[in-house]
Amino acid sequence: MGRGRVTLADVALAAGVSSTTASLVLSGRGDELRISDTVQHRVREVSESLGYRPNILSVGLRRGSSLALGFVSDTVATSQLAGDLIKGALEAAHERGLMLFIAESEGDPKVERRLLNALLDRQVDGVVLASMFTQTRRLPSGLDHGPAVLLNALPREPHPTIPSVVPDELEAGRAAARLLLEAGHRSIHLVGAGPRREDTPPGTVAGRERLQGILEVLADAGLEPTSGYLHEDWLPQHGWAATQRILAADGAGSAIITFNDRLAFGAYQALHEAGLRVPQDMSLVSFDDAPVAEWLRPGLTTFAIPHYDLGHRAVELLLETIAARRDGGPAPAGVHRLPMPLRARESVAPPRS
Amino acid sequence: MGRGRVTLADVALAAGVSSTTASLVLSGRGDELRISDTVQHRVREVSESLGYRPNILSVGLRRGSSLALGFVSDTVATSQLAGDLIKGALEAAHERGLMLFIAESEGDPKVERRLLNALLDRQVDGVVLASMFTQTRRLPSGLDHGPAVLLNALPREPHPTIPSVVPDELEAGRAAARLLLEAGHRSIHLVGAGPRREDTPPGTVAGRERLQGILEVLADAGLEPTSGYLHEDWLPQHGWAATQRILAADGAGSAIITFNDRLAFGAYQALHEAGLRVPQDMSLVSFDDAPVAEWLRPGLTTFAIPHYDLGHRAVELLLETIAARRDGGPAPAGVHRLPMPLRARESVAPPRS
DNA sequence: GACGGTTGCTAAATCGTCTTAGCACCTGCA
DNA sequence: TGCAGGTGCTAAGACGATTTAGCAACCGTC
């Protein structure tokens, strides 16, 4: 692909100038180096008419940068949820004329290492390391050599030059609890984690922080969760089972916070099967804003993971990091938390009285 | 990223040989060109200990190939369904040591053109052109220059060197109808397209071919669909509305084929709300195998779009096309249809009486 | 009429790898 | 002694762009 392309030399020849001149004109340095307007015009015309496009491999070899970024995820590209993560990254890159290599490590550090090497061999200008679930992770060795950003992941130890971008789960947890309190609920069940602060699925930041935010707000109101169901996976069947247990218990309460929308889906099923109605008999609030949240009847009120923004922001930060290295300016290190916007639908109402 | 890397010249210097020798040894042509075992061994040792890795930009510049492929989709990367499409492509590429540039055109031919150019500028060895929905499309100009494959798309006119990979929708349509006939159903509703052959949403191949397969098998059994509901979009709300109309009509029939799983989701909702049970009161068969198919209770029987296989196959075909160009062998043109496997769950049973 | 300053352009090196052509040395044979 | 034929390695030139250093021509000045 691309052999037989028009090269700078072809343009120069056709315009009757040296390739130096052609290069200067086309890179906009013509005035600076006093190339006459006549020649500049001619070069541009010829370039246009031949359809000249620079070979980026060559430019990259010369400049040591490939105008490409790497995006390595554990399994994000394949996930049902996180296509938008990639989309955001893609668009941020395209806005600046960069292309994105995408790769998946399946969570295997060896594969990750291999992929990072393959990317470095291709002289990528920087790397986004993404996770499917927000998690704390070790940084692979050798990442210090080049600009990098963590996406949906936090470094095990704070890193001086590698920023990370995550959803603000803590604040979303608070907001979810506040939403129910403000609707008048006093008896709130948790499905997915809780009731105690340490009852969170191992390895996920989302569970820990959402729970923390919820408990914090409840405590401020002098409350505790009526019950809590910890599940390692957050699948519909778990939401279904937990909701059945909630309904079987005395004083079933008036609201449930599910830790993601799949759990909520299961909760809806259990409520329907029990002949109960959302939100009249039970209010629900959830997290993620998966597509199913909109399909459910009534629509599920949930706090969205801002996938697109996360991806977009990660690449922006990466570009800032690259620019900072180049210009010696300050690099945007630290943790960047993006708000999880409320998607208010119809699953919350005041309790029955 | 990558400045200050160990180069071939560094290795050669440290091993006390010319870079020609180092190159020959490391590319495995040492024996062929009679480099002594001593020297070969030394070069390899030095290369290893310095951690030498070839600069692929440079190799690419020299050889005119970048060991990278492009994957341009209309909007597939962001779709909820099709992450596996990318995953399959990714893995097929990684198996051969190639990396994948991913890009999204949003269905805009101008953007697509721009992205293709950006990929060609980077000397990609080939391009996968993917669609979210199986559709017939025009080929962008300039694609003839390099190896290319259509994924989930058919060329408007057959192309001598560009293969395409699509799900075998026609056969899946037949299989869906057969499944219901074999369960004993004689009154079958269609939701999404039909009842007549020309009642398909414009622009989608899936709708046309699924319907064609269904009608064919029904006709062979001397039947026609009891009713059909054409919708341009296939969202839950449409499935819900169509199902309500089915239930409102006399002689409601005993089975529904929904043209995708979101429609089926809506159908489940309408059936539940009417107090009817799947599969006792109504059997359902669908297409896609979206995650929700598994979450529904009872599980939805559906024919899966083989996303992973499609992606994997597309890249394999692309690599064959590339090899064919290189070696002058036969190129794998034409349309490749991959089977849509049945995911048999619990939504089909014999009719009531 | 020699010199300095501008104007307008180019030669050549460089990035890192691959590849063609060929050099220097040795052995064996006539 | 001379030459053919191997053996083991290297010089040098691509690939396609960028960039540094500098050359030729002209003008004006003293």
Side-chain angles (χ1 to χ4, degrees):
Chain A
M1 216 144 188
R3 274 295 189 222
R5 274 168 68 108
V6 176
T7 72
L8 186 62
D10 296 331
V11 174
L13 188 66
V17 298
S18 72
S19 52
T20 306
T21 304
S23 172
L24 292 174
V25 171
L26 295 177
S27 62
R29 298 182 57 204
D31 288 334
E32 184 190 337
L33 272 108
R34 302 179 314 236
I35 308 293
S36 66
D37 285 354
T38 330
V39 168
Q40 293 214 30
H41 189 70
R42 185 147 36 95
V43 168
R44 272 192 258 273
E45 286 231 306
V46 168
S47 163
E48 187 84 6
S49 74
L50 294 183
Y52 168 69
R53 316 203 90 238
N55 178 332
I56 299 214
L57 253 42
S58 175
V59 175
L61 178 58
R62 180 68 230 250
R63 292 211 296 232
S65 104
S66 59
L67 298 180
L69 303 176
F71 186 105
V72 181
S73 60
D74 48 4
T75 175
V76 81
T78 177
S79 124
Q80 302 305 327
L81 280 174
D84 281 336
L85 210 58
I86 295 201
K87 190 184 177 71
L90 232 39
E91 294 196 358
H94 291 171
E95 283 162 16
R96 315 288 199 89
L98 297 167
M99 298 297 278
L100 218 54
F101 279 117
I102 302 218
E104 270 197 33
S105 69
E106 307 276 356
D108 179 340
K110 282 203 190 124
V111 175
E112 185 176 73
R113 180 72 267 159
R114 201 155 57 229
L115 292 172
L116 282 172
N117 278 337
L119 290 170
L120 294 176
D121 293 349
R122 283 167 178 79
Q123 308 285 109
V124 291
D125 297 334
V127 170
V128 175
L129 269 182
S131 294
M132 173 54 208
F133 302 108
T134 313
Q135 57 184 228
T136 309
R137 55 160 298 166
R138 293 223 339 259
L139 295 176
S141 65
L143 214 58
D144 308 285
H145 296 326
V149 170
L150 290 184
L151 174 50
N152 227 345
L154 299 166
R156 192 152 297 175
E157 284 124 32
H159 191 282
T161 65
I162 299 187
S164 63
V165 187
V166 294
D168 192 347
E169 311 276 8
L170 185 65
E171 185 52 38
R174 293 191 190 112
R178 263 188 235 117
L179 187 71
L180 291 177
L181 291 181
E182 281 163 15
H185 296 276
R186 286 294 173 275
S187 168
I188 297 171
H189 301 274
L190 306 184
V191 171
R196 291 161 312 159
R197 186 157 165 175
E198 60 273 26
D199 300 326
T200 66
T204 102
V205 171
R208 180 160 38 82
E209 297 192 343
R210 289 173 187 176
L211 180 60
Q212 188 183 334
I214 293 166
L215 294 183
E216 197 182 300
V217 167
L218 290 183
D220 285 354
L223 296 174
E224 286 185 352
T226 306
S227 73
Y229 297 86
L230 169 62
H231 299 280
E232 296 219 0
D233 270 347
W234 288 346
L235 294 173
Q237 68 222 50
H238 304 126
W240 181 83
T243 304
Q244 285 221 318
R245 291 173 60 192
I246 288 171
L247 297 179
D250 291 343
S254 61
I256 298 175
I257 299 179
T258 53
F259 273 71
N260 79 359
D261 293 346
R262 290 195 302 265
L263 290 167
F265 184 87
Y268 267 63
Q269 290 172 325
L271 291 167
H272 281 150
E273 288 169 19
L276 296 176
R277 301 176 47 180
V278 177
Q280 293 88 336
D281 303 310
M282 188 69 81
S283 287
L284 265 97
V285 176
S286 183
F287 301 91
D288 282 7
D289 195 32
V292 75
E294 195 179 353
W295 302 345
L296 285 167
R297 292 170 55 86
L300 176 63
T301 291
T302 187
F303 289 85
I305 299 180
H307 286 112
Y308 181 90
D309 294 338
L310 288 166
H312 202 275
R313 195 66 196 287
V315 166
E316 283 180 347
L317 285 170
L318 185 54
L319 295 174
E320 285 172 33
T321 308
I322 294 168
R325 293 226 177 178
R326 184 167 20 83
D327 309 336
V335 176
H336 299 246
R337 295 183 191 276
L338 303 192
M340 296 181 64
L342 172 62
R343 303 277 185 253
R345 298 200 178 91
E346 299 84 36
S347 66
V348 176
R352 228 173 222 306
S353 79
Chain B
M1 215 144 190
R3 273 296 187 222
R5 273 168 69 107
V6 176
T7 70
L8 186 62
D10 297 331
V11 173
L13 189 65
V17 298
S18 72
S19 50
T20 305
T21 304
S23 172
L24 292 173
V25 172
L26 295 177
S27 62
R29 299 182 56 206
D31 289 334
E32 183 190 337
L33 271 107
R34 301 179 315 235
I35 308 295
S36 66
D37 285 354
T38 330
V39 169
Q40 293 214 30
H41 188 71
R42 185 147 35 94
V43 168
R44 272 192 260 272
E45 286 232 307
V46 169
S47 163
E48 188 85 6
S49 74
L50 293 183
Y52 168 69
R53 316 203 88 239
N55 179 333
I56 300 215
L57 251 44
S58 175
V59 175
L61 178 58
R62 181 67 232 252
R63 292 211 295 232
S65 105
S66 58
L67 297 180
L69 303 176
F71 186 106
V72 181
S73 60
D74 47 5
T75 175
V76 81
T78 175
S79 124
Q80 303 304 328
L81 280 173
D84 280 336
L85 209 58
I86 295 202
K87 190 185 177 71
L90 232 38
E91 294 196 358
H94 291 171
E95 282 162 17
R96 316 288 199 88
L98 297 167
M99 298 296 279
L100 217 54
F101 279 117
I102 301 217
E104 270 197 33
S105 69
E106 307 276 357
D108 179 340
K110 282 204 189 120
V111 175
E112 185 177 74
R113 180 73 265 159
R114 201 155 56 231
L115 293 171
L116 282 172
N117 279 337
L119 290 169
L120 294 176
D121 293 350
R122 283 166 178 81
Q123 307 287 109
V124 292
D125 297 335
V127 170
V128 175
L129 269 182
S131 294
M132 174 53 209
F133 302 108
T134 312
Q135 57 185 226
T136 309
R137 57 160 297 165
R138 292 222 341 256
L139 294 176
S141 64
L143 214 59
D144 308 285
H145 296 327
V149 170
L150 291 184
L151 174 51
N152 226 345
L154 298 166
R156 191 151 299 175
E157 285 124 32
H159 191 282
T161 65
I162 300 185
S164 65
V165 187
V166 295
D168 192 346
E169 310 276 7
L170 185 65
E171 186 52 37
R174 291 190 191 116
R178 262 188 236 120
L179 187 71
L180 291 178
L181 290 180
E182 281 163 15
H185 295 275
R186 286 293 173 274
S187 169
I188 298 171
H189 302 274
L190 307 184
V191 171
R196 292 162 311 160
R197 186 155 167 177
E198 60 272 26
D199 299 326
T200 66
T204 102
V205 172
R208 180 160 38 83
E209 297 191 345
R210 290 172 187 176
L211 179 60
Q212 187 184 334
I214 294 166
L215 294 184
E216 197 182 300
V217 167
L218 290 185
D220 285 353
L223 296 174
E224 286 184 352
T226 306
S227 73
Y229 298 85
L230 168 62
H231 299 280
E232 296 219 358
D233 270 347
W234 289 345
L235 295 174
Q237 67 223 50
H238 304 125
W240 181 83
T243 304
Q244 285 220 319
R245 291 174 60 192
I246 288 171
L247 297 179
D250 292 341
S254 61
I256 298 176
I257 299 179
T258 53
F259 273 72
N260 79 358
D261 294 346
R262 291 196 302 266
L263 290 168
F265 184 88
Y268 267 62
Q269 290 173 325
L271 291 167
H272 281 150
E273 287 169 20
L276 297 176
R277 301 176 46 179
V278 177
Q280 293 88 337
D281 303 310
M282 186 70 79
S283 287
L284 265 95
V285 175
S286 183
F287 301 92
D288 282 7
D289 195 32
V292 75
E294 195 178 354
W295 302 344
L296 285 166
R297 293 170 55 87
L300 175 63
T301 291
T302 187
F303 289 85
I305 299 180
H307 286 112
Y308 181 91
D309 295 337
L310 288 167
H312 202 276
R313 195 64 196 287
V315 166
E316 283 180 346
L317 285 171
L318 185 55
L319 295 173
E320 286 173 31
T321 308
I322 293 167
R325 292 226 179 179
R326 185 169 17 85
D327 309 336
V335 176
H336 298 245
R337 295 181 190 277
L338 303 191
M340 296 180 65
L342 171 63
R343 303 276 185 256
R345 299 200 178 91
E346 299 84 37
S347 65
V348 176
R352 227 174 221 305
S353 63

